[in-house]
Amino acid sequence: MRKTKHPLRMWFRNAPLKIKIALITAFAISLTSMASLIGSFIFMHSYNNLLYQALAGSLSSSAEDISSKLANIESMTNSIISSQAIRKNLISLLDETPSDILDQNVDNMITSSLIDYYQNYKNNDINYISLYNPRFTSSSYKAAISELPDTIRDTVIQAAGENSGYACWITDYCNTYGLFLGRDSRRVQNLNFETLGTVIVSVDLEKLISSSTQSILNNGSAQYILYENGQEIFHSRSLDATQIRVVHEDLQGNYEILMLGGSPYFCTKGKIANNNWDYICLIPYTYIAHTLRLTRYLSFGILLFSILVVFILSRFMIRSITADFASLVDKMKQFGQDESTLPVSEEAYANRVDEAGILHQQFDQMTVEIQSLIQQNYVNEILTKDARLKALESQINPHFLYNALESVNWRAKAIGATDISEMVQALGDLLRATLSHKDGNFTVRHELHIVNDYITIQKIRFDEERLDYQEEISPDILDAELPQMTIQPLIDNAINYAMEVITETCHIILTGYAVDNVIHIKVTNNGSQFEDHLLEKLESGSVKSHGIGIGLLNIHQRIQLIYGSDYGLTLYNTDEDHAVAEIIIPQSKV
């Protein structure tokens, strides 16, 4: 059962070349664009995930920086309470007799030490360092401690006393007065711990968070919410209660983008390990979202622009390619309609080496060869028919003519007319050789038989003493082919033109030899001369042929049609009394 071809497939096969290339190009562009879009979406999704992870990691690093600074503050207080100079002065306040001078000296010494500690640790965003003892209070910044309510100070001192000399963080006042660290300096007296004084460090938590975030993100707009045991202890001043509640309720994972007050925020949560505090950090996501959106639009714009450029360039290139083939198809149609006229050969394709140029060049060459072959066959056929017509112009019925000549021959023999018998017999042989040969070519041997029969007739006609004919033919060319009726017309031409001019003996010499597979056959006669450039004049029509045999031009043209322009007939004079007709043909044997 024959398989039915799909109509769409048949349409595509029969579509013009420019439509096929355009469809293939459009399909390639569409496929590439789709792959680019899918790749862009995958890339953006992966990029967002990486960005979220990077932001979360950076915020986690800022939390670690906060924890590290708080640890440094604890380490600083440990150094303060362990300082031998400070402890010695605090002990002197307890053991020596109270006096203003002693108090002043101790206060000056401790204050100077606290200022040094403050300078060394101020990068940890400390407001001030104070040391409280029963007699007075020393501080790195005494103006600041005067603003601290006594209740808060007493609360910190009490909490520090309950923590047995360990650092104690007071988080109840983070949103108002800041974060406080309290720590007692103690000594063992009579197997009991005795408090020498209490170190209180005030930390600006807002500034601490800002500096820690700035060092990690280069962005001071990050906000924090801190929790201790599930209770909020601090939030950045820019956050209001509604935003804090939304963040607390909506943040489900470790990081997420939330809308607060109509603006996107990137939120992440974690833990400040040193203090066991939980935190939620928020950074504005508007700039990042705008940048990502702009990047996405820019990517799509570049993709669309690239598609447009590819489309325009493809259309231009397709048009340039199809124009070459359209021109070739037009030339084919033109040549198909009229093979006698060569299509116009465009110079633009003459030196091109691409496929289109080669096709145009080969087609132009093919049309020239085809027209040459057509012309050769056509002209050769005309010349052959012309030769046969001229040879047969007196033939009405060959068989009747042969029989009539045979009857004349027998009658001449019967009455003893030997010369008439020979002439009639030679004429019959000549006619048989001329009229009965069916092939296009003779051999040199066959052509010589015709020449000898013709010479026999001419000797009887003109008297044997007036015609001297000689042959000098090399045996190795006797079986070589040559066009039919080639030598005899030259002999005929020599006899007729010489006999018209001279009254003495006409000498005709026929020579033939081969040199380098090229045959040279010369007919030399005395008594006549060839006009200069006679063949060219006969071909142009400036000189009319008036011979009685097949024309010299006919012989020359037939040889060139068969063997090419390197061969043919040459006419020249060796001296003032001798003319030579030379046939030059390639050597080939039957």
Side-chain angles (χ1 to χ4, degrees), residues 446-502:
H446 194 158
E447 187 80 5
L448 291 178
H449 288 318
I450 296 175
V451 169
N452 287 321
D453 289 334
Y454 175 77
I455 290 295
T456 299
I457 296 171
Q458 295 296 340
K459 281 186 176 182
I460 295 173
R461 174 189 174 192
F462 289 106
D463 188 357
E464 188 169 350
E465 293 182 357
R466 287 202 60 203
L467 180 60
D468 176 40
Y469 170 75
Q470 300 178 25
E471 287 184 0
E472 298 176 2
I473 305 298
S474 176
D476 59 352
I477 70 169
L478 291 176
D479 293 324
E481 285 187 338
L482 78 169
Q484 179 180 354
M485 299 297 292
T486 303
I487 301 177
Q488 184 271 336
L490 299 180
I491 300 294
D492 176 70
N493 182 78
I495 291 174
N496 283 285
Y497 280 92
M499 289 298 186
E500 290 179 358
V501 177
I502 62 175

Side-chain angles (χ1 to χ4, degrees), residues 244-282:
I244 295 172
R245 178 178 54 80
V246 171
V247 171
H248 183 72
E249 293 176 354
D250 294 349
L251 182 59
Q252 303 297 326
N254 290 329
Y255 55 86
E256 195 172 345
I257 296 177
L258 300 177
M259 295 299 296
L260 301 176
S263 300
Y265 283 82
F266 180 79
C267 306
T268 182
K269 62 182 178 180
K271 186 179 288 293
I272 298 178
N274 187 63
N275 300 80
N276 200 28
W277 296 342
D278 295 318
Y279 72 87
I280 296 177
C281 182
L282 302 88

Side-chain angles (χ1 to χ4, degrees), residues 530-545 552-554 556-557 560 565 567-572:
F530 285 121
E531 186 178 346
D532 292 340
H533 308 294
L534 179 58
L535 286 177
E536 289 83 350
K537 293 177 180 179
L538 289 171
E539 191 169 10
S540 65
S542 60
V543 173
K544 301 296 182 181
S545 175
L552 300 176
L553 182 60
N554 181 286
H556 177 66
Q557 289 178 338
Q560 288 203 329
S565 59
Y567 306 96
L569 179 64
T570 303
L571 305 177
Y572 57 92

Side-chain angles (χ1 to χ4, degrees), residues 142-248:
K142 291 190 176 182
I145 64 172
S146 62
E147 298 176 359
L148 183 66
D150 294 340
T151 55
I152 297 176
R153 180 197 62 195
D154 295 341
T155 300
V156 175
I157 292 174
Q158 181 181 354
E162 295 173 354
N163 213 33
S164 303
Y166 292 100
C168 177
W169 290 98
I170 309 301
T171 60
D172 298 337
Y173 313 103
C174 291
N175 288 324
T176 53
Y177 293 96
L179 177 64
F180 294 96
L181 184 147
R183 192 166 197 169
D184 280 350
S185 175
R186 294 184 172 188
R187 70 170 179 174
V188 179
Q189 184 73 17
N190 299 323
L191 301 178
N192 290 318
F193 286 103
E194 185 178 4
T195 300
L196 300 177
T198 302
V199 177
I200 297 177
V201 180
S202 174
V203 180
D204 188 343
L205 198 54
E206 184 83 25
K207 185 177 178 182
L208 175 65
I209 290 173
S210 178
S211 64
S212 297
T213 307
Q214 182 75 32
S215 63
I216 301 298
L217 300 177
N218 294 322
N219 186 346
S221 60
Q223 292 128 19
Y224 266 79
I225 304 174
L226 298 179
Y227 297 90
E228 184 178 29
N229 298 324
Q231 297 295 321
E232 180 199 335
I233 61 174
F234 171 80
H235 64 267
S236 297
R237 296 189 185 95
S238 58
L239 295 175
D240 56 32
T242 302
Q243 291 175 330
I244 295 172
R245 178 178 54 80
V246 171
V247 171
H248 183 72

Side-chain angles (χ1 to χ4, degrees), residues 89-103:
N89 280 275
L90 291 175
I91 292 172
S92 66
L93 291 175
L94 295 178
D95 295 343
E96 295 181 13
T97 302
S99 67
D100 293 336
I101 296 175
L102 176 63
D103 291 349

Side-chain angles (χ1 to χ4, degrees), residues 23-176:
L23 288 176
I24 293 173
T25 304
F27 176 75
I29 293 175
S30 300
L31 188 62
T32 303
S33 301
M34 188 178 299
S36 299
L37 288 175
I38 295 174
S40 298
F41 283 124
I42 294 174
F43 171 78
M44 293 301 295
H45 180 72
S46 301
Y47 176 79
N48 286 337
N49 286 336
L50 291 175
L51 178 63
Y52 297 160
Q53 294 175 9
L55 288 174
S58 298
L59 295 176
S60 176
S61 298
S62 70
E64 292 176 1
D65 188 65
I66 294 172
S67 178
S68 175
K69 288 182 177 180
L70 295 177
N72 289 339
I73 295 173
E74 290 185 12
S75 176
M76 179 195 67
T77 58
N78 186 57
S79 299
I80 292 173
I81 64 174
S82 301
S83 171
Q84 292 297 325
I86 293 175
R87 287 181 63 82
K88 181 179 179 182
N89 280 275
L90 291 175
I91 292 172
S92 66
L93 291 175
L94 295 178
D95 295 343
E96 295 181 13
T97 302
S99 67
D100 293 336
I101 296 175
L102 176 63
D103 291 349
Q104 186 65 39
N105 291 336
V106 171
D107 184 26
N108 290 338
M109 182 273 165
I110 294 176
T111 298
S112 176
S113 298
L114 293 179
I115 291 173
D116 291 339
Y117 279 108
Y118 174 81
Q119 292 296 329
N120 292 332
Y121 287 88
K122 66 180 179 179
N123 290 334
N124 295 279
D125 302 305
I126 299 171
N127 287 327
Y128 57 86
I129 307 170
S130 298
L131 199 158
Y132 292 87
N133 62 74
R135 303 268 290 270
F136 54 85
T137 300
S138 301
S139 177
S140 63
Y141 183 35
K142 291 190 176 182
I145 64 172
S146 62
E147 298 176 359
L148 183 66
D150 294 340
T151 55
I152 297 176
R153 180 197 62 195
D154 295 341
T155 300
V156 175
I157 292 174
Q158 181 181 354
E162 295 173 354
N163 213 33
S164 303
Y166 292 100
C168 177
W169 290 98
I170 309 301
T171 60
D172 298 337
Y173 313 103
C174 291
N175 288 324
T176 53

